[in-house]
Amino acid sequence: MRKRFVLVRLAWMLALVTGLAFALSACSASDDAGSGATAYETEDGGIVLEDDATVSVDMGEEAGSASYAPSYDSSSGASYDYSYSGSGDADYYGPGTVVRDAAAGDAADGDLYENAPVQVAPSPGVVNEAPMLTVPDQEVEYEVPPTATGPERKTLWDILFPWGQLFGDPGEQPPAPDEAEPYYEDETVYEPYPHWGGDEPRYTDEERREAAERYNEIVEASRIYADEDPQATLALKVSTAAYTNTRRYLEDGQLPPADAVRTEELINYFSYDERAEFIDGSPFSIRTEIGPSPFDESKLMAYVRLRTMTVAEEDLPPSNLVFLIDVSGSMDEYNKLPLLQDAFAMLVDTLGEDDKVSIVVYASDTGVVLEGVSGGAKNRLKSAIYELTAGGSTAGEGGIQLAYQVARENYIDGGNNRVILATDGDFNVGISDVGQLEDFISEKRGTGVYLSVLGFGMGNLRDDVMETLAASGNGNHAYIDSLDTAHKVLVNEMSGTLFTVADDVKAQAVFDPEYVKSYRMIGYEHSELADEDFENDAVDAGEVGLGTDVNMLFEIDLTQAGRERAEGVSLFDVRIRYKDPGEGESKEISVRAARTGDYGARNTSDFTFAVAVAKYGDMLRHPELVGRGDFDTLLQMAKAGAGEDVSGERKAFTELVAQFEDVWKSSRYYY
């Protein structure tokens, strides 16, 4: 009797466990398709990769012709526009990727076959709406850990009662490769910003045209031997757009395109502390310094800081300003027209009764909203600014023509006559080619009207257009990504942004071949001039505003004679040519550079910080070369160069470096 009671209890316990297992099995099966699995099939024969599952597609030589067009799903109203980059090396696709055999079509098995056409889509959510990238007849390696096959879920019932493993075929498992290549998941979101990397050219002309954001290509300066060409010549101007633009990328969790990183603009974004001693009869002071290079411990870094004089606000000449505002449809975003309106309202608050303001707008057509209104009529000006709305196409050429016409009609002799263009740069009516725009805006240089370009927004930013307009139109270029930046550019640094102290400013560093073996200019790739153009007054250069810093860095390698002169020698001369505003004849000043001497031991915070920012720029441009310890070194340099930092911008830079490290660690370059 007792034995039968025990057997009954055991039977009840077994039934209870079985029921619990089936219940948990049902719950597990009802979970989202991604729970616990590493790969599963879709209804149309695709395979969705999850967890650590990967697929490798050898793009082959034909990959360059593989492409697909944007599509539009009429039922959901969603549009899809995907880009890709392919090369002869295998491209890895990780979690969330849908892969299917193009030859099999909608076959239920969804198998992947070697040397067969394969299609790749970015995620299962868009596989039915968006065209898939077809890679023709290329080798496919499909790797899924052996613990998960297809859509099958392993449940508690399977774990407690593994009948298939005990009494039957456990099921075919995908063979593990002999030696799987390492896969580093790239969590960086590159779209809609194309990413180009590697040793090959970053993009073709076609890709450049199709890119959502466009930048002028940067070809970094090569090392030059001083005995062959001892002179480095460049045009000087102060633009800071690259710093705030690349900061925007990092804050969005992305690495910026290499061509968005103009190192000189990163360095010139900051103010510098060392006291400036101005050269008699000129608006400039020149300071030089020699120290160690952050890129190569066997080389030195030569630092040149050009500082312009300041003028009290009450002594500034009256301004004739034309606000040229892009109100096309592309400006209808929170960080475009609304931010622009707040920025110009800030600027209006700084103006006086003697200043004149006109507002010109352009979209599908152009128009004058206000003309020649006193800067004291702040409510009228602000009301006109805040009443603007966005819509239509972008007739940028017509807007510029009209703005310069209005500026000439309200011209102030001896005053500050300037057009301030605020746009995302997306010109699509009239001239839109960068080369033609350069020729067009160059014709305006002789009018006596200067140009400031303020960039806004993201996604379709035409930085190449704005940089070209500023460089060719006697102007400067800033990118406004926040109200803080707007306040910095248009209020704190208004005199430097809007008031020119010198025209056609050129710099030339002349190295002594006896002591300098070679040199390399850091940044300024778009500002290089031929040596013979330095003394040619007909050659246009850059404009520099009041109270601004223009910084130059040259990495130099010493000759044996230079290394042996332990007491120190002067390695180069600095020559500056410029014109007073509105004048046609240049003036020239020059200084002998600081001696090497005990370099490194007494470097100023200005030198240390400028060199740290240069290293930051190099790391942004070449994330594939960054090592894990580079961020610690960079942070140490930035903190050592903090200086007085009254504005707090250098401290903010150290925080940005930490953010850069986080983004880099989530990218394909982290190892």
Side-chain angles (χ1 to χ4, degrees), residues 131-148:
M132 305 179 77
L133 167 62
T134 298
V135 184
D137 301 327
Q138 303 300 331
E139 183 174 357
V140 177
E141 294 181 2
Y142 172 45
E143 178 185 346
V144 178
T147 56

Side-chain angles (χ1 to χ4, degrees), residues 324-347:
L324 176 55
I325 300 177
D326 180 354
V327 292
S328 63
S330 65
M331 295 293 289
D332 191 18
E333 296 181 21
Y334 77 96
N335 56 0
K336 292 187 179 180
L337 185 58
L339 177 57
L340 178 158
Q341 290 167 320
D342 289 340
F344 275 105
M346 288 181 183
L347 177 56

